Structures are given as C-alpha cells and as structure tokens.
Amino acid sequence: MNVVIIFQPYHQQLTAFQSRDERDYPHRFSLECAGFSVQGIDTVSAIYGETITVPCNDNKKLPEGVVFVKWKYERKDGTSQSLLTKSVVKDRADFDASPEYVGRLDIDKQNELLVYNATLQDQRRFNCMIATSSDVIEHLVNVKVYKKPSKPEITESPKYLDVGKLQMIGKCISKDGNPQGNTTWYRNGALLESDGKSKKAF
C-alpha cells in the first residue's frame, strides 16, 4: 500500500490518505482537501533526442481565478526543483531552471511543458502546480524516455573452432539502450531458443 501525505495550508494540519494497489484504480485518482488538491499520476513516453510534451491538468481548461502556473520536477532525494513560473495575468513565463535545462524549456498556450532534446536524465516526475486565489491544484506526470540501443557487437569470438568440441562463439553486446535491449541469436536464419539452463551443440 501507498500512503500519500498532503499538507492542508488552510487548516494547518497533515492528512494521510492510504491507497490500495494502482491496479484497483483507473489510470488516475484525485485527492482533495480544503485549499489543496492532488490529481493522480499520468505517464508520458518520449524518444531520446526529441521534444517531450508534458501535459498540465490533463489538458483541461484552467479553473477560474488562476494566478499562476508553476512547473517543477522531483529530484532523486524527493525534493523539488522549480523550472518555470507563468503569470496568467502577464501571460509571461519566468525561467529558473537548473543548468541541465537551460535553453531546453518552453511552455505553450495549454500550459504544457516542452522539454527539447530529451535525455535519459529527463526520465523523472514532473509537477504542474496551478494556483488560484483559493486553491492549489497539483498535476503529477511521470516521464519515460526511450532510447534505441547501439548497433550490436560480437566480442570474444575465437579465430578457429575445434570439430566436435563445444565452444563459445562470442558475446553479443548492445549498449546505451533504455530500457536495456534483448539479445536474440539466429543460426542460418533460424531463431535459437534457450531455456537459460542447457547448452546446445550444432
């Protein structure tokens, strides 16, 4: 089980919500209390090197009385780092990004966060905070970045093979993929399958 603790700024108290396994819920959930609400976590997939589009408030129309929209991301230690703040009145965004995001951020008219030239470090949780005169809404989005692995290489391949002797013909290595790629061997165009326990001789 997961326990989500939400601070209620207007009541000056902590409230703990206990949730069951995510499989018991649809793709999102909503927790609300006086003056503060948290919407369930969405997931966005992106391709390495391309632009990540992170939606705010599930692309719904902003509520009445919005003062500003603020984008943050979650560090590995659980603390948050501010990226930008957009004033709805001035219709202008002020960037306060960390060095890794300098020149790579923008925000569109739907308040979606645009992250250019996606890296594996962008695979993290982002938070869109919508502040009104009487409420604060937070929309959480997990970003997953997929990267194609490098071309496979065969190493430790012997120059000669002894007839009738079981020998390793090489190791297949593919680097830099996210997630890590699966290796499949073929012999004369036929797929070689293994149960991971036995060795096959040809």
Side-chain angles (χ1 to χ4, degrees):
M1 290 190 175
N2 299 320
V3 176
V4 180
I5 298 178
I6 295 179
F7 177 60
Q8 301 183 23
Y10 297 97
H11 286 185
Q12 298 296 312
Q13 65 180 3
L14 290 176
T15 302
F17 296 85
Q18 191 172 51
S19 65
R20 296 171 292 174
D21 190 279
E22 292 181 358
R23 291 172 297 180
D24 298 331
Y25 290 88
H27 75 285
R28 59 172 40 253
F29 60 90
S30 179
L31 301 175
E32 297 185 3
C33 56
F36 197 94
S37 62
V38 177
Q39 295 186 343
I41 303 173
D42 280 344
T43 299
V44 169
S45 298
I47 303 299
Y48 182 87
E50 297 186 4
T51 299
I52 307 172
T53 301
V54 191
C56 178
N57 198 31
D58 199 29
N59 284 329
K60 296 177 182 177
K61 184 179 179 181
L62 293 182
E64 296 293 332
V66 173
V67 179
F68 66 84
V69 174
K70 187 180 187 70
W71 274 102
K72 303 178 289 183
Y73 74 83
E74 187 177 296
R75 297 191 184 99
K76 291 182 179 180
D77 61 4
T79 60
S80 62
Q81 167 67 47
S82 176
L83 291 173
L84 63 86
T85 304
K86 179 182 178 181
S87 170
V88 176
V89 176
K90 298 179 181 180
D91 193 26
R92 185 187 66 192
D94 294 320
F95 296 84
D96 41 27
S98 55
E100 63 182 309
Y101 284 108
V102 172
R104 294 205 298 129
L105 296 179
D106 204 351
I107 185 170
D108 64 15
K109 294 182 179 180
Q110 287 73 41
N111 297 300
E112 294 176 319
L113 179 68
L114 305 178
V115 183
Y116 302 116
N117 193 24
T119 70
L120 295 183
Q121 285 68 42
D122 297 326
Q123 184 165 284
R124 51 174 40 130
R125 179 174 296 176
F126 291 84
N127 183 345
C128 179
M129 185 175 74
I130 304 170
T132 70
S133 56
S134 60
D135 195 8
V136 175
I137 303 170
E138 293 200 333
H139 182 75
L140 308 178
V141 182
N142 282 334
V143 170
K144 293 184 178 297
V145 178
Y146 294 91
K147 183 180 181 183
K148 183 179 179 180
S150 61
K151 184 178 179 179
E153 298 179 18
I154 297 179
T155 63
E156 300 183 28
S157 181
K159 293 183 178 180
Y160 306 99
L161 294 176
D162 296 327
V163 178
K165 182 179 179 181
L166 185 63
Q167 291 179 262
M168 183 179 73
I169 62 172
K171 289 184 177 180
C172 184
I173 300 176
S174 182
K175 303 177 181 179
D176 303 325
N178 190 55
Q180 185 176 356
N182 295 321
T183 300
T184 303
W185 284 88
Y186 290 84
R187 178 176 180 266
N188 296 333
L191 175 65
L192 298 180
E193 296 182 274
S194 173
D195 57 10
K197 299 178 182 179
S198 61
K199 296 181 180 179
K200 295 184 178 181
F202 300 95

